[in-house]
């Protein structure tokens, strides 16, 4: 990754963080209906992977914690914001919401309310890419908690047996809600992936260089050999499981924010404080603007529901 | 009588049964923190990790663990955080838990309780808001309970642990903030005994779980218009107190069911079908099934509110029925 | 017209659609050998392993693969060997396949077909004999087809691959040895168009899949007693041709449904409920839901035969209805 | 295992084989309603494991292919035969059948029509044994095809995380119906089990000495440390997936029958041909007798069904 790339990525990460802060404010203000899972702490992993992807042929599925993936995939922030707020002008017109961001096409296929539910779907995208023979790959993002779902493990084996170009990205933030990672799995997840027959790497998800090196290598390997691979990225969950959660169970102390760490690297590399400051302000302003724009959208009109009821109800 | 929420009552009932019976244990996700809705509060501290078992996110294996433990003399209480997650362990529910006693010729008992939550209304979206007790009730071999208040939630749990069949208790999240009166001893509540919550001469209205308060509100309004609505809470779906329902219909001649479950082939259809097959000659008007539309639960507040049946819809349905002569 | 069994017709339809459309692929277990019932015969030889995909016994992941592929421009045909196995992949059915188009606001299409088999009668026991299309039909977002003959099995499959919604086709094993006539081109069969197989003035009898021949036999017997039974095969459960059913009930004034599915909260209850809500004033007698009892499928031949509805039960139910005046 | 033990085990294995031959004959004669999955080839694994078990505290679950487990657990052969034939005097009175042998108690908990469905149940038996603190263990038998079911993989992880005294016995007969083992899994199953965090061994299931050594070691280890372990036993499926199957797909050639192999060992160890012959005749006679006894039982009376319908129907 060039220094320019790093800086651009920092800007995107800052924006993702600012976006989540805006989600949190909107939630506090009662403008978001349910519970929201923010992605603070895993931005570099998400953006690092997306840096290797190609919008014309690759596809990505995500978990309940996927605002960052939608943004990284290039969906307009105001559209994502409107989706989270349940407004029109969003992806679904108020039907989906934060855990079910399901765009019509493009890089991002959707977030998912069922832990692990998105992982088999990525196998389908990988299969489609293989069928089209366009060198595309699929990426499934999921947490270390989700790795314990049967469907996720089945998919690892299936991807190997079928030879699917699929990158499993396990974002290990140490927690599955209040369950510590050591209570989720009895052994390291990367070793497990290897035992399924995959190449697997484990990286510090707060270290952009490491993320970049690993993803670059894994993605190009998958494009070449058509076989799945596994990336585990250790990150810290900056906030609660969901915004506003009382994290009484949490004892992992003060965290180094990966964005601060990247910032320090950039400073060291000679990026001026003014430049960084401008980037940060811009991120903040763009996030606010997205939510302001979304808030202008009307609340969805319940009449759409009647149309759906007719359609899905299937009473001809 | 004490005022309690459903999670408080359930937690208290669990404290009582676990203290009384070493065969009882609790298994599920995030129990150490008291369960995500507080229904496991204080249990892990008191009974320790051997009896309050926190699990990875592996519903198939820990529900199966519950079944196997029940077959081996234990009394497991398995918590499936939201009933929307029953899909990932549905084989263990539909084939393993439901059929085992039958397949053993009745020699094996499964005193297994599956506690789960349900319901729309809190903006949780399509995969955290379902009320799919109809799915469970359609599977032969399962017992299904849908408490509408704290005393029932606790009492049904106690009864469930004494029976030979697996029971799924669906607790409605929309009721979790409401305190309702409960005898502090939380006595067992019998299965298959409906509760008539309000007498009425004109219409029998069966309402389930969070639909009970909606039904009562509608009945209040209709009373002002001179229409007597008899509101019945079936308490359990299997066993079902069909005598109570049919006796009421014999009196009123009109039947409606108010159910947050499936619009097609759910409990509402089952009850309409039962009533019309068994009490056709008593019926003066077409029965009504008041359910959400046949769509997933929408996310946006206005849509979700439109999706959920409310008192106005109940009133409209009943008024129409009264005019149907 | 050619005489074909359902597996033959399905295999032939698959040959045709796979030759015509490179987006179609087949995925499931033991397909190389032609599928355990022969519905994939010759496909792997002809289209190769990239389009006829044999899998490990991992229904969740390969059904999910189908869904994701459908979201990415493919037209997957996923074979779940027996519908009893839907439990192990029920989340992918109930939450992922069913809800995705809705959650996308209608922008994502899922031209996904799930073929599965169902039915009792061959001594396969409780976990290989279920007919759980009611479970699927109760989940909003799924389309459900239950062909009763080879032409429909093939034609529905073709139609299903052109629609935006996931379709589950339940093929009844009890019909697999029967040859029925089919146009060799196997034209698409529309969803939501019931077939009236026999006219009758006295009773409307809806029968599903393997219950269709049972219904026709009962209708024959009853005709000799002067009772005219109109037999309707709904062909698809969702969409459901309620016009055809209601028009028939308007004529006959009596309704019965014959369904191998769930005795409680299944399709039988859904149809009784629909008819009584929509056509109450036309009904001259209590409708009948003729289903197996609410138990798992028993294994022993005598028990299994007693479990399955037969023509005698249908006749008894209809005779009772005719006397109910 | 002492030579006497070996001989006794050979007798039991011969009986199991003769029993399955009798099932096949009954099936051919139309006395068994559905499809039957015979266990020929895996007898030594089943009996070798049971040799280490204790009827008072251990429990076992099995797959669709479990006649041998029911017999090994000591259930009267005529009762098992009656169950398979759907008669009264059986475990269930005609309700269960070959894939659903569910005894009231004792060592064997049941066979299962759903591939892998029995494995989580064994975790429950292990949990119960741990709760009772009686040193009991549970054993889950399953095929290498079943190892690809999510629920099976979840259970491996769960057993480790919870510390359950559970022995996973994967009977790898090379086939899952018509699917070869190499098309089921992308990597060796014992390595996978190790990666989950378990001690795992792989043995030749046709070699009684190897089976005995491995099971002896694993069972005593589980009793001591309370942790799960994994045993993979390679066997040959002597017959079809089910009795009568056309095995057109099968290309694994002529098999060495493990019973013949054990017989040869016994001959070498000095057991007389006459003695072996007597054992074999006895096995045959006892198997025939079991089916004759079962065939005397009446077919089940459909009236039981009405009672069940009332009970489970729950219409009070
Ligand atoms: C099948 C299922 N079980 C449980 C849940 C509830 N739940 C939602 S998120 C979560 C924790 C997920 O942990 P992890 O996979 O590590 O992701 P993270 O939240 O850390 O990003 C749980 C238990 C669910 N949504 N689906
Ligand atoms: C969930 C599920 N999927 C598929 C089947 C059909 N089926 C029954 S046995 C079998 C093969 C099992 O292979 P394996 O686990 O290796 O056991 P084996 O038959 O070799 O003993 C299959 C696919 C089933 N019963 N359950
Ligand atoms: Mg996590
Ligand atoms: Mg095998």
């Amino acid at each position: 990754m060039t220094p320019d790339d790093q800086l651009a990525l920092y800007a995107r990460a800052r924006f993702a963080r600012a976006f989540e802060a805006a989600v949190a404010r909107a939630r506090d203000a009662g403008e978001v209906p349910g519970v929201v899972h923010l992605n603070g702490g895993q931005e570099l992993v998400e953006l690092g992977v997306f840096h290797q992807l190609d919008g014309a042929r690759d596809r990505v599925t995500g978990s309940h914690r996927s605002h960052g993936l939608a943004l990284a995939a290039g969906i307009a922030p105001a559209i994502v914001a409107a989706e989270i707020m349940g407004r029109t002008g969003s992806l679904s017109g108020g039907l989906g919401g934060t855990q079910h961001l399901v765009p019509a096409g493009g890089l991002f296929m959707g977030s998912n309310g069922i832990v692990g539910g998105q992982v088999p779907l990525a196998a389908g995208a990988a299969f489609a890419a293989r069928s089209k023979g366009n060198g595309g790959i699929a990426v499934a993002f999921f947490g270390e908690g989700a790795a314990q779902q049967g469907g996720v493990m089945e998919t690892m084996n299936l991807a190997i047996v079928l030879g699917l170009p699929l990158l499993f990205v396990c974002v290990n933030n140490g927690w599955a809600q209040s369950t510590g990672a050591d209570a989720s799995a009895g052994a390291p997840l990367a070793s497990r992936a290897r035992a399924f027959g995959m190449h697997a790497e484990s990286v510090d998800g707060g270290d952009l260089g490491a993320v970049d090196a690993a993803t670059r290598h894994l993605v190009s390997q998958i494009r070449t050999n058509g076989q799945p691979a596994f990336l585990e990225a250790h990150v810290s969950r900056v906030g609660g499981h969901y915004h506003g959660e009382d994290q009484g169970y949490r004892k992992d102390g003060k965290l180094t924010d990966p964005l601060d760490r990247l910032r320090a690297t950039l400073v060291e590399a000679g990026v001026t404080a003014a430049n960084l400051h401008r980037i940060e302000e811009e991120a903040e302003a763009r996030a606010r603007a997205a939510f302001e724009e979304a808030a202008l959208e009307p609340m969805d009109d319940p009449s759409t529901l009647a149309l759906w009821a007719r359609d899905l109800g299937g009473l001809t | 009588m004490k005022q309690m929420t459903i999670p408080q009552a359930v937690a208290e009932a669990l404290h009582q049964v676990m203290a009384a019976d070493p065969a009882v244990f609790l298994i599920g996700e995030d129990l150490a923190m008291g369960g995500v809705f507080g229904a496991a509060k204080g249990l892990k501290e008191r009974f320790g990790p051997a009896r309050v078992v926190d699990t990875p996110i592996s519903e198939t294996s820990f529900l199966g663990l519950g079944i196997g433990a029940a077959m081996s003399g234990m009394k497991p209480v398995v918590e499936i955080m939201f009933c929307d997650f029953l899909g990932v362990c549905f084989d263990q529910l539909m084939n393993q838990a439901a059929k085992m006693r039958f397949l053993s010729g009745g020699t094996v008992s499964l005193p297994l309780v599956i506690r789960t939550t349900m319901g729309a209304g809190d903006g949780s979206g399509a995969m955290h808001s379902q009320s799919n007790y109809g799915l469970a009730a359609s599977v032969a071999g399962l017992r299904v309970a849908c408490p509408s208040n704290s005393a029932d939630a606790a009492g049904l749990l106690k009864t469930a642990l004494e029976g030979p069949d697996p029971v799924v208790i669906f607790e409605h999240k929309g009721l979790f903030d409401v305190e309702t009166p409960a005898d502090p001893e939380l006595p067992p509540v019998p299965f298959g005994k409906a509760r008539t919550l309000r007498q009425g001469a004109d219409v029998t209205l069966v309402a389930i779980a969070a639909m009970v308060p909606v039904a009562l509100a509608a009945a209040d309004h209709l009373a002002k218009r001179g229409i007597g609505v008899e509101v019945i809470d079936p308490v359990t779906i299997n066993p079902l107190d069909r005598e109570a329902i049919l006796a009421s219909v014999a009196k009123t001649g009109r039947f409606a069911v108010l159910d947050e479950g499936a619009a097609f082939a759910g409990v509402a259809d089952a009850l309409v079908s039962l009533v019309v097959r068994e009490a056709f000659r008593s019926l003066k008007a077409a029965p009504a099934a008041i359910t959400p539309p046949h769509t997933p639960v929408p996310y946006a507040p206005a849509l979700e509110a439109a999706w959920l049946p409310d008192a106005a819809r109940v009133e409209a349905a009943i008024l129409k029925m009264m005019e149907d002569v």
Side-chain angles (χ1 to χ4, degrees), chain B:
Chain B
M1 287 289 167
K2 224 177 124 180
Q3 291 291 114
M4 299 175 121
T5 66
I6 288 178
Q8 284 165 352
V10 169
E12 174 57 25
L14 286 170
H15 273 277
Q16 294 176 8
V17 291
M18 290 186 74
D21 186 348
V24 179
F25 70 97
L26 194 59
I27 186 164
E29 293 154 16
D30 302 298
L31 300 177
M33 62 180 264
V36 297
F37 297 105
K41 207 164 168 187
L43 292 165
K44 190 140 186 179
E45 291 88 328
R46 179 164 171 201
F47 298 103
R51 291 185 66 199
V52 179
V53 185
D54 272 291
T55 66
I57 312 173
S58 304
E59 283 83 355
T60 293
S61 64
F62 72 74
L63 173 53
L65 185 155
I67 299 166
M71 294 174 78
S72 305
M74 308 287 291
K75 294 181 179 173
V77 180
V78 177
E79 181 170 310
I80 303 290
M81 204 187 280
F82 290 70
C83 71
D84 310 68
F85 311 161
L86 286 172
V88 300
C89 54
F90 205 69
D91 175 65
Q92 291 293 325
L93 187 66
M94 167 176 98
N95 286 321
Q96 310 304 330
K99 299 185 181 20
M100 219 45 95
R101 184 166 78 91
F102 178 85
L103 293 173
S104 77
T107 62
V108 169
S109 284
L110 274 91
L112 165 73
V113 178
I114 299 164
R115 286 187 45 248
T116 190
T117 69
M118 64 172 170
D122 57 2
S124 292
M127 300 186 192
H128 284 67
S129 305
Q130 294 168 79
S131 293
N132 53 22
Y133 44 83
L135 279 182
S138 77
V139 174
L142 298 176
R143 307 293 179 191
V144 176
C146 294
S148 66
N149 59 68
S150 56
D152 283 356
L156 290 166
L157 172 61
K158 288 187 174 175
T159 306
L161 281 168
E162 300 309 318
D165 289 309
V167 176
V168 195
I169 305 183
F170 290 84
E171 299 164 5
H172 199 292
K173 291 179 286 158
L175 299 170
F176 281 7
D177 292 338
V178 189
E179 293 189 334
T180 52
D183 176 336
E185 299 213 339
L186 300 169
V189 169
F191 274 53
K193 287 271 161 271
R195 243 186 254 296
T196 302
L197 298 176
R198 181 189 177 111
Q199 307 272 343
D202 300 312
V203 184
T204 300
L205 174 60
V206 169
I208 298 166
M211 289 294 119
V212 167
V214 177
L216 290 171
D220 269 353
H221 297 168
L222 289 165
K224 296 194 187 109
R225 303 177 69 149
I227 300 170
V229 178
E230 183 141 305
V231 177
I232 298 181
D233 175 353
V235 184
T236 56
I237 307 299
N238 185 324
L240 178 73
D241 190 349
R242 71 173 194 166
E243 280 78 20
I245 297 170
L246 294 175
S248 175
V249 172
K251 182 175 83 174
T252 62
R254 293 184 190 81
F255 180 69
V257 47
L258 173 58
D259 170 15
E260 195 178 323
F264 186 88
V267 173
D269 278 344
L271 296 193
V272 167
S273 171
L274 173 75
V275 164
V276 71
R277 287 181 288 124
E278 300 293 329
F280 182 69
R281 294 287 160 213
S282 319
L283 283 178
K284 298 177 203 158
I290 307 160
T291 67
H294 190 71
T295 72
V297 184
Y299 172 76
L303 291 173
E304 192 186 30
W307 186 88
L308 270 173
D310 59 9
R313 271 192 63 204
V314 178
E315 289 161 48
I318 287 179
L319 286 173
K320 182 159 163 259
M321 195 181 282
M322 294 306 293
E323 281 155 21
D324 177 16
V325 277

Side-chain angles (χ1 to χ4, degrees), chain A residues 132-208:
Chain A
K132 292 175 196 147
N134 61 7
I137 73 164
V139 182
F141 278 87
F142 57 99
E144 88 295 338
Q148 316 322 319
Q149 266 290 316
V152 174
M153 297 190 254
E154 283 188 4
T155 305
M156 295 200 192
N157 180 60
L158 186 75
I160 294 154
V161 168
L162 299 184
L164 299 179
L166 174 49
L167 178 62
F168 294 88
V169 179
C170 180
V171 179
N172 188 338
N173 62 4
W175 296 100
Q177 194 137 351
S178 72
T179 304
D182 54 346
S184 272
L189 297 175
S191 321
R192 188 196 287 180
R194 273 178 217 118
F196 275 113
M198 266 187 284
H199 180 81
E201 295 187 19
S202 206
V203 296
D204 174 352
D207 175 345
L208 181 58

Side-chain angles (χ1 to χ4, degrees), chain A residues 255-290:
Chain A
L255 308 163
T256 329
D257 190 319
L259 268 57
D260 294 344
R261 203 163 137 193
L262 176 56
R263 191 182 203 279
T265 319
L266 292 167
V267 169
E268 234 169 80
V271 183
T272 64
N275 203 350
L276 290 168
H277 194 67
R278 191 186 43 76
I279 283 172
E280 287 148 9
E281 299 266 272
E282 236 177 68
E284 189 61 33
R286 278 184 58 224
R288 283 184 191 275

